[in-house]
């Protein structure tokens, strides 16, 4: 029997703004980019034929683009564009000057030489994580070492061991995944996350955008249960959350679910749990068949490879006015024996 479950998408938030289209990017990157886009914290590089944003996830961002991604993630784009910034750098293109200027003034990003920012150079994993940690209040040389910044982001849950000194490529897909996880990153010396800051400041707005989170409550052989709930501070205007279908690696599952907050609280209490939530589901599936059907795998730091369990949830959310929003999302897990 499996004894430990590890999610590859820790604390991934969900928004019911649109369904996530398929992509060739690394696992979870399209979901992360779509989440951030719906929250106004990430932009596409173009538009797909179906009208959805093209995130260009398989391309390495430049340092100028990386700083732009950071400023937008922090909800500071308007502030960056509202001022003229002075920097010593001579290689910053006009479009990037507000972002580089803001990040430099805040101490989030420095240059690669006294007068060069390195705007057109690809950003490394260490550099991007350093920008992000500084924005969360951590100091390189005090809290972390910039060229091994992943050690602190691993501890904070922003990364999960995928970066190290041998990492040579950092894509827009990586930036999207790291940025989405950073929403739950704790600011230095505070019991407060970046997401809570964004909600409190009004940087995330929209009456139909509900930021959802979920927990995997229990995993054992052939069984899993999940609890869904809106993040604190989210403008929750939905009255129910119903899963229309659940699959694991494309294989159908049997479900028992509770779809309203009141019923969830009562049901969990009946089985000895004090947690509340907005929706609850118990999933029965064939674990052996699901692992055999896996098309993606994860290799941990010791070189051991695991088949990924891709849980896909297709849902209908009912709004307070009776309107309905449909969509789907996928989270990936592997079971460590």
């Amino acid at each position: 029997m499996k004894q430990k479950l590890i999610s590859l998408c820790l604390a991934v938030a969900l928004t019911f703004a649109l369904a996530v289209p398929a992509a060739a990017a690394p696992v979870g990157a399209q979901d992360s980019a779509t989440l951030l886009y719906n929250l106004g914290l990430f932009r596409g590089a173009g538009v797909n034929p179906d009208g959805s944003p093209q995130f260009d996830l398989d391309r390495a961002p430049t340092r100028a683009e990386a700083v732009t991604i950071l400023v937008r993630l922090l909800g500071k784009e308007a502030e960056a564009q509202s001022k003229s910034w002075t920097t010593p750098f001579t290689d910053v293109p006009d479009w990037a000057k507000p972002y580089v200027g803001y990040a430099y003034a805040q101490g989030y990003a420095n240059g690669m030489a006294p007068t060069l920012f390195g705007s057109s150079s690809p950003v490394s994993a260490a550099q991007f994580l350093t920008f992000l940690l500084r924005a969360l209040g951590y100091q390189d040389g005090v809290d972390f070492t910039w060229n091994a910044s992943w050690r602190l982001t691993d501890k904070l849950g922003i990364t999960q061991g995928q970066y190290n000194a041998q990492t040579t490529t950092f894509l827009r897909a990586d930036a999207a995944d790291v940025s989405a996880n950073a929403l739950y990153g704790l600011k230095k010396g505070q019991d407060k996350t970046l997401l809570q800051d964004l909600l409190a400041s009004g940087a995330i707005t929209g009456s139909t955008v509900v930021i959802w989170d979920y927990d995997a409550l229990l995993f054992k052989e052939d069984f899993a249960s999940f609890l869904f709930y809106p993040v604190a501070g989210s403008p929750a205007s939905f009255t129910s959350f119903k899963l229309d279908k659940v699959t694991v690696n494309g294989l159908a599952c049997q479900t028992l679910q509770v779809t309203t907050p009141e019923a969830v609280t009562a049901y969990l209490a009946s089985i000895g749990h004090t947690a509340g939530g907005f929706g609850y589901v118990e999933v029965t599936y064939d674990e052996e068949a699901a692992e055999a059907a896996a098309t993606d795998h994860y290799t941990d730091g010791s070189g051991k490879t695991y088949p990924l369990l891709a849980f896909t949830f297709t849902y209908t959310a009912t709004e307070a006015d009776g309107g309905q929003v449909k969509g789907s999302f996928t989270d990936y897990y592997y079971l460590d024996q």
Side-chain angles (χ1 to χ4, degrees):
M1 180 178 293
K2 313 298 185 185
Q3 297 180 350
K4 183 171 66 172
L5 174 118
I6 305 173
S7 171
L8 296 184
C9 303
L10 297 178
V12 173
L14 310 170
T15 174
F16 292 121
L18 55 93
V20 179
V27 169
Q30 184 72 33
D31 285 6
S32 297
T34 300
L35 163 68
L36 297 168
Y37 176 84
N38 290 342
L39 297 177
L41 305 177
F42 192 76
R43 288 192 184 177
V47 180
N48 291 313
D50 63 359
S52 62
Q54 168 53 254
F55 295 122
D56 213 5
L57 297 177
D58 56 356
R59 180 175 62 80
T62 65
R63 280 172 53 87
E65 290 175 321
V67 168
T68 301
I69 291 170
L70 175 72
V71 172
R72 287 175 177 156
L73 174 66
L74 300 176
K76 297 297 185 180
E77 183 169 26
E79 183 176 343
Q81 292 181 335
S82 69
K83 298 179 182 180
S84 295
W85 307 93
T86 300
T87 73
F89 309 125
T90 60
D91 65 336
V92 180
D94 288 343
W95 68 264
K97 286 180 178 178
Y99 307 101
V100 173
Y102 178 86
Y104 179 73
Q106 299 298 322
Y108 302 156
N110 298 319
M112 298 183 72
T115 61
L116 297 177
F117 184 70
S119 295
S120 61
S121 299
V123 71
S124 68
Q127 290 168 354
F128 189 85
L129 298 177
T130 293
F131 297 162
L132 183 56
L133 287 171
R134 289 171 178 163
L136 293 175
Y138 297 95
Q139 294 179 276
D140 42 321
V142 177
D143 303 303
F144 68 99
T145 302
W146 82 265
N147 58 1
S149 47
W150 49 79
R151 292 175 182 168
L152 179 53
T153 56
D154 284 349
K155 290 180 180 178
L156 295 173
I158 296 171
T159 56
Q160 292 84 48
Q162 67 267 50
Y163 304 112
N164 53 50
Q166 284 71 51
T167 302
T168 58
T169 303
F170 188 83
L171 304 177
R172 282 173 59 88
D174 294 288
D177 272 338
V178 168
S179 296
N181 284 342
L183 293 175
Y184 292 84
L186 286 175
K187 304 188 75 175
K188 182 182 178 180
Q190 301 181 38
D191 187 21
K192 184 164 61 172
T193 64
L194 174 59
L195 178 58
Q196 290 171 319
D197 252 8
L198 291 166
L199 289 166
S201 69
I204 299 175
T205 59
S207 60
T208 62
V209 176
V210 175
I211 306 165
W212 291 84
D213 201 355
Y214 59 98
D215 293 327
L217 294 187
L218 179 64
F219 262 81
K220 58 183 181 180
E221 188 172 3
D222 301 327
F223 177 87
S225 63
F226 299 87
L227 181 66
F228 303 85
Y229 51 89
V231 170
S234 174
S237 61
F238 290 86
T239 59
S240 68
F241 169 56
K242 179 179 181 295
L243 291 170
D244 303 307
K245 184 179 180 180
V246 181
T247 61
V248 180
N249 288 340
L251 305 178
C253 306
Q254 293 184 331
T255 64
L256 180 155
Q257 61 179 305
V258 186
T259 61
T260 65
E262 299 78 12
V264 169
T265 299
Y267 180 78
L268 290 178
S270 74
I271 60 175
H273 289 271
T274 59
F278 205 84
Y280 172 80
V281 62
E282 295 178 352
V283 179
T284 304
Y285 67 102
D286 187 329
E287 180 186 303
E288 184 176 354
E291 291 188 331
T295 58
D296 292 299
H297 296 76
Y298 174 72
T299 302
D300 65 18
S302 65
K304 187 174 182 179
T305 298
Y306 303 87
L308 285 176
L309 299 178
F311 282 80
T312 298
F313 304 91
T314 303
Y315 63 81
T316 298
T318 302
E319 299 176 278
D321 62 2
Q324 292 187 329
V325 180
K326 295 179 178 290
S328 65
F329 58 90
T330 301
D331 200 3
Y332 296 80
Y333 298 84
Y334 72 88
L335 294 164
D336 186 7
Q337 297 183 348

